[in-house]
Amino acid sequence: MRLSIIVPAYKVEEFIEKCIRSLQEQDVAQTEYEIIVTNDGSPDQSRQIVENLQKEFSNLRLINQENQGVSIARNEAIATAKGKYIMPIDPDDFAEQNMLSQLLHQAESTDLDILVAGFEIFDPQGKSIWQTNYSQLAGKVITGVTGYFASRGKDVRDPDRSWAILYKRKMIQDYAIDYPKGVPFLEDGCFLVKVFSVAQNVGFADSIFYKRTTTEGSATVSGVFYTEKAINGFIAAAVNLRTFSTKNKLSQNQQGLINHGIVKYVLLSLFQNVNLKSIGRFSHIVAKLKAHGIVKLPIQGVVEPYDKYAKYFNVSPYLFFLLYSKENIIAKYLK
């Protein structure tokens, strides 16, 4: 089998059928790919909708589990996948018709470990507001570390998305890569750091395959990134990456990307609590980090601006607190 598409499902009864049908409207025979939906204990009609669609589509599989979160749902699907490549898809998005053949041909013909597909974002009214532009990368085969940073930039939307990307299943198995437990927000980013750190051949598809609709009340807008749950998750992600690096023999370049991810998640746990009114909470987070053995941050391979803040932190977390506070005050004054 060439491809396993994995779809976690929780409270998505109004979207899931459109998503699955778009994944079936492709130019690849059903015998060559499978769609694995993990029902994460959804209390709505998501399971029933998928079961009805199974009567229509022979390549649609359903896994039922108690609610454990999107990471475990994806991991369960990956564990049972049979395809040469795995591609995560979010259940409230959908795919362009007749695109899989093109993507699979590009991945297989150049033996890619990762193929990054293009996507387009729409507002709730259906108006296109942004899309990827991989024209400068299309046709090239680059290393995973280079590909990780190439997919990012100042104006890039959703840089930490793991969906609409093809990953070679053997690579995931060989390095025991999974989505991290206990990381409720930006869990995709942790997965991405691991897969890109070990990938040798990465490609980009310039055509738009994936259609994503924005919704109000996202994690960044609603303020959940500032909660204890989010902070614990960011620390758990840093620990997960540290553990991954100790279990695998990595080159200096590969370790540098892991270091970048560790620093990023540690700083994410701190950034929103750098102001004089939250010094006590900041100290509380620093104590949490120390409890997990995070006293000094790895610098090698970390890129700006995280490298600068990591150096501040390594002198003293409170030097980081003072200098980052000063930068924020100056930035507000200059507005």
Side-chain angles (χ1 to χ4, degrees):
M1 185 171 289
R2 300 170 74 187
L3 175 66
S4 296
I5 300 173
I6 63 171
V7 184
Y10 184 76
K11 291 185 178 181
V12 288
E13 61 182 6
E14 60 181 306
F15 309 109
I16 189 71
E17 182 167 355
K18 179 180 180 180
C19 175
I20 291 173
R21 288 194 179 279
S22 74
L23 296 171
Q24 296 288 357
E25 295 171 349
Q26 299 296 326
D27 49 2
V28 175
Q30 288 188 14
T31 55
E32 295 184 348
Y33 74 106
E34 62 182 349
I35 301 169
I36 307 172
V37 177
T38 305
N39 167 39
D40 188 31
S42 186
D44 62 5
Q45 296 298 308
S46 296
R47 173 178 177 173
Q48 290 80 355
I49 292 170
V50 176
E51 288 176 339
N52 286 332
L53 289 170
Q54 283 184 296
K55 300 172 184 176
E56 187 176 346
F57 302 115
S58 60
N59 64 340
L60 178 59
R61 295 169 53 198
L62 176 64
I63 299 172
N64 292 302
Q65 66 175 35
E66 294 182 2
N67 179 244
Q68 300 179 68
V70 65
S71 288
I72 305 304
R74 285 172 171 161
N75 289 340
E76 287 295 322
I78 291 173
T80 65
K82 302 174 183 176
K84 179 179 180 181
Y85 288 94
I86 290 170
M87 178 167 60
I89 295 289
D90 277 0
D92 49 353
D93 301 325
F94 61 100
E96 185 64 72
Q97 295 180 4
N98 300 321
M99 289 289 293
L100 280 187
S101 178
Q102 175 184 327
L103 293 176
L104 284 169
H105 174 73
Q106 182 177 349
E108 293 169 339
S109 63
T110 48
D111 193 28
L112 296 178
D113 296 314
I114 296 175
L115 174 63
V116 183
F119 69 95
E120 187 172 7
I121 300 178
F122 298 84
D123 66 18
Q125 288 71 45
K127 179 182 177 181
S128 177
I129 56 177
W130 188 85
Q131 67 179 40
T132 52
N133 179 2
Y134 295 144
S135 58
Q136 299 300 313
L137 296 167
K140 297 180 180 179
V141 178
I142 55 182
T143 65
V145 175
T146 301
Y148 177 87
F149 292 109
S151 66
R152 292 158 184 270
K154 181 180 179 181
D155 299 318
V156 172
R157 300 283 292 269
D158 285 332
D160 281 318
R161 53 104 178 194
S162 66
W163 36 261
I165 300 176
L166 278 70
Y167 310 93
K168 187 176 287 184
R169 184 164 65 94
K170 186 177 185 302
M171 174 185 66
I172 290 175
Q173 291 176 326
D174 287 348
Y175 288 93
I177 298 170
D178 60 4
Y179 286 86
K181 299 177 182 178
V183 183
F185 308 110
L186 296 186
E187 71 284 346
D188 288 43
C190 185
F191 178 85
L192 286 177
V193 169
K194 290 187 284 189
V195 292
F196 274 92
S197 72
V198 298
Q200 299 299 316
N201 300 319
V202 174
F204 289 79
D206 192 34
S207 53
I208 301 298
F209 164 72
Y210 194 80
K211 305 297 183 74
R212 185 167 184 81
T213 301
T214 58
T215 57
E216 296 180 359
S218 67
T220 50
V221 173
S222 63
V224 296
F225 276 9
Y226 317 145
T227 64
E228 193 79 2
K229 181 179 180 181
I231 291 166
N232 289 339
F234 294 147
I235 295 173
V239 173
N240 183 280
L241 290 173
R242 184 181 63 188
T243 301
F244 178 79
S245 69
T246 61
K247 289 183 176 180
N248 294 285
K249 187 176 181 180
L250 303 177
S251 69
Q252 185 178 27
N253 202 32
Q254 291 172 326
Q255 183 62 51
L257 179 52
I258 297 295
N259 292 345
H260 179 82
I262 291 172
V263 169
K264 172 185 173 180
Y265 280 106
V266 170
L267 293 176
L268 281 173
S269 74
L270 295 169
F271 277 147
Q272 303 304 329
N273 293 282
V274 179
N275 62 72
L276 294 177
K277 293 181 180 180
S278 62
I279 184 66
R281 183 168 173 77
F282 182 87
S283 298
H284 170 68
I285 298 169
V286 170
K288 280 179 176 286
L289 291 168
K290 287 183 179 180
H292 286 88
I294 302 174
V295 179
K296 297 289 184 180
L297 297 178
I299 300 296
Q300 182 269 320
V302 181
V303 305
E304 60 180 12
Y306 297 133
D307 58 339
K308 174 180 67 175
Y309 297 130
K311 290 174 183 176
Y312 293 164
F313 181 93
N314 284 350
V315 175
S316 167
Y318 297 97
L319 176 65
F320 161 77
F321 182 96
L322 291 172
L323 294 178
Y324 188 69
S325 297
K326 181 179 179 181
E327 287 186 9
N328 285 344
I329 292 171
I330 293 173
K332 290 179 181 178
Y333 177 77
L334 293 176
K335 283 185 177 179

